[in-house]
Amino acid sequence: MISRSPDLIKFRGVVVSPRNLRSFHHRHPPPPPAPTMSDLRPPEHQVAGHRASANKLGPLVDGSGLFYKPLQAGDRGEQERAFYEAFSAHAAVPPRIRDAFFPRFHGTRLLPTEARPGDTHPHLVLDDLLAGLQAPSVADIKIGAITWPPSSPETYVAKCLAKDRGTTSVLLGFRVSGVRVVAPGGAVWRPERPELKALDTAGVRRVLRRYVSSVSGEGADCSLAAAVYGGEGGVLSQLHELKAWFEEQTLFHFYSASILLGYDANAVSATGVGGGVRVKLVDFAHVAEGDGVIDHNFLGGLCSLIKFISDIVSEAPETPPLAP
Amino acid sequence: MISRSPDLIKFRGVVVSPRNLRSFHHRHPPPPPAPTMSDLRPPEHQVAGHRASANKLGPLVDGSGLFYKPLQAGDRGEQERAFYEAFSAHAAVPPRIRDAFFPRFHGTRLLPTEARPGDTHPHLVLDDLLAGLQAPSVADIKIGAITWPPSSPETYVAKCLAKDRGTTSVLLGFRVSGVRVVAPGGAVWRPERPELKALDTAGVRRVLRRYVSSVSGEGADCSLAAAVYGGEGGVLSQLHELKAWFEEQTLFHFYSASILLGYDANAVSATGVGGGVRVKLVDFAHVAEGDGVIDHNFLGGLCSLIKFISDIVSEAPETPPLAP
């Protein structure tokens, strides 16, 4: 559990020191004035999680680089806020890791809710991870064979375990929670959740191949594999950097967090050498303290994902496609 | 399930090819004539698993380098035999990995049982992994946060999950199943199973420190850490070699297998530079097919163990102790 006071932030019992907090505030000046509701809209490219609608809370973007994530119900919202506060302030997190692989946290903000006029709801203010991508191809991959923190109550363990066994989590150490692929003509492939939940090992391999293919329809040519997955700054090299950190870091255990992959389908097909490839961690409502132990569950799933993607790069055509 | 015929060996549905089988028989000539019961005795240094007694089946050694493990009841015994047969014959297993990290398999043999006079029981004939060590200090470490193969029935999952959560398996990705440490005067420390089962993170760290300490009693000086864990041929370098294989290998998933550590407490304290340090995998009754996916569960636990042991080496005195 988390407790907060004006002077201290506790993350699952660990007090974040005032020294770290100063550093946190130094790095994160208060965000600009609140946007009005008319600036905000549901993100067009969201592939997983709750979606905002007239009657439901969901994330919003302001079109100028910020992403507003409503605090989730129960403990989750507060847990996620506590994680962002602790993580942003933690002196032992290498700045390169924080900047490269995590959305920047800009505090929380009360926003009016369409569902309950006159009422407000607290939102985490984060970087919009897909800002700047004209035609984002996105994949949300939930990492770890185990998605429940060890201290969870029995009913929660049972619920998660059923999902972890019913999807590929236990078998592969990860599952694809969402995907959106933009084909050359602009056509978007975004399978529905039941389809993703039903994927087996071969299905996951197909989705990860299709994510780097520039065809419309069912096929997969993996013509973008070298540009998106391989090469300098590609997904694989970023995942390897993340892996090196996970082999050492004993601060946090990222249960049920996802790796979000993104690239610009327009830019990559135009230049053939990348296109804003992004690898980010998201969804921290179930992060637990590391207590001096590495996150072997996340690390194992990450290594499994790396193997899947390496295999695709090895089998794919070696040179990225040229511009048409 | 496994099926056997004179021509084929099936390991959980995978047929081991006759070509591989020939290679298997080539590498493993029939073992020497069966020992008589009077040659056989329970291993003095066993730290985990069932123990042999007048009324119970348990492993036996013949004193000349072989270890006889009774086939376990139910499917387990046949599963373990099928694993050894498939593994010994598998062309994709690097010989260096097989030779360095696994007991050599010499087939099975029917041995008379003391418990049921006149009756026999099949035994796996394996290398005695502690042969040649005068004063073996031994640790049996069960690897993986998950100890049940994904295809297991509900009742088995529930039973394993309770143990995995009740011990350090879920939290650390491994648990210490047995340990035996020989102090300089020859005194042996071998905690009982309930004590090991009750270990928390700090307790596991204490046990892994005491395993490389040359003191009698409760303390731990870690004076053997550099010689046993560190350095060329030490535990860490062997675990790193194993890790590199697990990052690539997609043949087998080693659920509920253990890493057995061994060294000669007499030799290490006499020479200060090792003493027959051994790192071996054992207990394969719950191995599953890899089906093209890495064993992220074993790999994660292995990385966690590596971090624990690295931390001990970093904190320990740098030079191994000199002979007295």
Side-chain angles (χ1 to χ4, degrees):
Chain A
M1 286 298 297
I2 296 157
S3 71
R4 300 190 73 216
S5 79
D7 298 323
L8 294 175
I9 294 172
K10 265 185 145 183
F11 174 68
R12 294 186 185 244
V14 172
V15 177
V16 178
S17 79
R19 180 160 165 276
N20 285 341
L21 273 182
R22 275 199 300 278
S23 142
F24 164 67
H25 287 303
H26 176 71
R27 274 198 304 277
H28 300 278
T36 64
M37 276 311 283
S38 60
D39 299 329
L40 298 173
R41 52 182 168 74
E44 201 184 330
H45 316 304
Q46 190 187 346
V47 294
H50 307 282
R51 286 173 198 166
S53 68
N55 296 312
K56 273 206 307 211
L57 279 172
L60 301 165
V61 291
D62 66 357
S64 58
L66 292 179
F67 180 94
Y68 297 81
K69 180 174 180 176
L71 251 66
Q72 293 176 70
D75 286 344
R76 297 179 188 195
E78 282 302 331
Q79 290 287 0
E80 187 160 28
R81 163 157 57 183
F83 166 76
Y84 270 113
E85 288 175 343
F87 181 80
S88 302
H90 207 302
V93 175
R96 158 75 195 165
I97 292 292
R98 184 157 35 215
D99 295 345
F101 297 112
F102 289 82
R104 188 176 286 256
F105 175 58
H106 304 277
T108 55
R109 172 153 296 160
L110 289 171
L111 291 181
T113 61
E114 280 195 58
R116 301 185 304 273
D119 205 358
T120 59
H121 189 89
H123 287 63
L124 303 168
V125 188
L126 304 166
D127 281 351
D128 178 1
L129 299 175
L130 303 177
L133 303 186
Q134 262 197 322
S137 285
V138 186
D140 181 302
I141 302 167
K142 193 185 279 284
I143 306 291
I146 292 174
T147 60
W148 40 273
S151 62
S152 306
E154 291 303 324
T155 49
Y156 187 73
V157 172
K159 195 177 125 187
C160 291
L161 185 66
K163 279 192 206 171
D164 299 345
R165 295 184 72 198
T167 63
T168 61
S169 291
V170 166
L171 206 53
L172 308 189
F174 66 87
R175 65 181 183 248
V176 178
S177 297
V179 69
R180 173 191 201 270
V181 186
V182 186
V188 171
W189 176 62
R190 196 174 79 176
E192 295 299 319
R193 285 178 206 177
E195 191 181 337
L196 292 173
K197 279 186 185 165
L199 288 176
D200 59 5
T201 303
V204 166
R205 217 177 283 278
R206 266 197 312 277
V207 168
L208 292 175
R209 287 169 57 86
R210 185 150 177 194
Y211 181 66
V212 290
S213 291
S214 54
V215 290
S216 327
E218 283 293 316
D221 59 7
C222 296
S223 61
L224 306 175
V228 173
Y229 287 158
E232 208 180 329
V235 169
L236 263 186
S237 88
Q238 294 195 51
L239 291 180
H240 276 291
E241 186 179 353
L242 200 55
K243 177 186 167 221
W245 184 57
F246 269 92
E247 286 175 341
E248 290 296 326
Q249 79 87 11
T250 61
L251 306 169
F252 302 105
H253 287 189
F254 292 90
Y255 292 103
S256 203
S258 286
I259 287 180
L260 190 81
L261 304 180
Y263 71 91
D264 192 333
N266 283 1
V268 76
S269 53
T271 67
V273 290
V277 171
R278 293 168 195 192
V279 174
K280 302 283 182 180
L281 266 69
V282 295
D283 295 343
F284 306 120
H286 302 285
V287 174
E289 286 171 45
D291 278 334
V293 177
I294 67 162
D295 188 351
H296 52 86
N297 177 61
F298 192 99
L299 176 59
L302 176 57
C303 291
S304 177
L305 179 62
I306 286 174
K307 183 67 166 69
F308 269 73
I309 293 182
S310 299
D311 287 349
I312 294 170
V313 172
S314 309
E315 295 155 10
E318 274 190 20
T319 48
L322 296 173
Chain B
M1 284 300 297
I2 297 156
S3 72
R4 301 190 73 217
S5 79
D7 298 323
L8 294 174
I9 295 171
K10 265 184 143 184
F11 174 68
R12 294 185 185 244
V14 171
V15 177
V16 178
S17 80
R19 180 162 165 273
N20 284 340
L21 272 182
R22 274 200 301 278
S23 142
F24 164 67
H25 287 304
H26 175 72
R27 274 200 303 277
H28 299 278
T36 64
M37 277 311 284
S38 61
D39 298 329
L40 299 173
R41 51 182 170 74
E44 201 184 332
H45 316 305
Q46 190 188 348
V47 295
H50 307 283
R51 285 174 198 164
S53 67
N55 296 313
K56 273 205 307 208
L57 279 171
L60 300 165
V61 291
D62 67 357
S64 58
L66 292 179
F67 180 93
Y68 296 82
K69 179 175 180 177
L71 252 66
Q72 293 175 70
D75 286 344
R76 297 180 187 195
E78 282 303 330
Q79 290 287 1
E80 187 160 29
R81 163 156 59 180
F83 166 75
Y84 271 112
E85 288 175 344
F87 181 80
S88 302
H90 209 301
V93 175
R96 159 75 195 165
I97 292 292
R98 185 159 33 216
D99 295 346
F101 297 113
F102 288 81
R104 188 176 285 256
F105 175 56
H106 303 278
T108 55
R109 172 153 295 161
L110 289 171
L111 291 182
T113 60
E114 279 195 59
R116 300 185 303 274
D119 205 358
T120 59
H121 190 90
H123 287 63
L124 303 168
V125 188
L126 303 166
D127 281 352
D128 178 1
L129 299 174
L130 302 177
L133 302 185
Q134 262 197 322
S137 283
V138 186
D140 180 301
I141 302 167
K142 194 185 281 285
I143 305 291
I146 291 174
T147 60
W148 41 273
S151 63
S152 306
E154 292 302 323
T155 49
Y156 187 72
V157 172
K159 196 178 124 185
C160 291
L161 186 65
K163 276 193 207 171
D164 298 345
R165 296 182 71 197
T167 62
T168 61
S169 291
V170 167
L171 206 54
L172 308 190
F174 66 87
R175 65 179 181 248
V176 178
S177 297
V179 68
R180 173 189 200 272
V181 187
V182 186
V188 171
W189 177 63
R190 196 174 79 177
E192 294 299 320
R193 285 177 205 178
E195 190 180 338
L196 291 173
K197 279 187 185 166
L199 288 176
D200 59 4
T201 304
V204 166
R205 216 177 284 278
R206 265 198 313 276
V207 168
L208 292 174
R209 287 169 57 85
R210 183 147 178 196
Y211 181 66
V212 290
S213 291
S214 55
V215 289
S216 328
E218 284 293 314
D221 59 8
C222 295
S223 60
L224 307 176
V228 173
Y229 286 157
E232 208 179 331
V235 169
L236 263 186
S237 87
Q238 294 195 52
L239 291 179
H240 276 290
E241 186 179 353
L242 201 55
K243 175 185 169 223
W245 184 58
F246 270 92
E247 286 174 342
E248 290 296 327
Q249 78 87 11
T250 61
L251 307 170
F252 301 105
H253 288 188
F254 292 91
Y255 291 103
S256 203
S258 286
I259 286 179
L260 190 80
L261 304 180
Y263 70 91
D264 192 332
N266 284 1
V268 75
S269 54
T271 67
V273 288
V277 171
R278 291 167 197 192
V279 173
K280 303 283 183 180
L281 266 69
V282 295
D283 295 342
F284 306 120
H286 301 285
V287 174
E289 284 172 47
D291 277 335
V293 177
I294 67 163
D295 188 352
H296 52 84
N297 177 60
F298 191 99
L299 176 59
L302 176 57
C303 291
S304 177
L305 179 62
I306 285 174
K307 184 67 165 71
F308 268 75
I309 292 182
S310 297
D311 287 351
I312 293 170
V313 171
S314 309
E315 295 156 10
E318 275 190 23
T319 47
L322 296 174

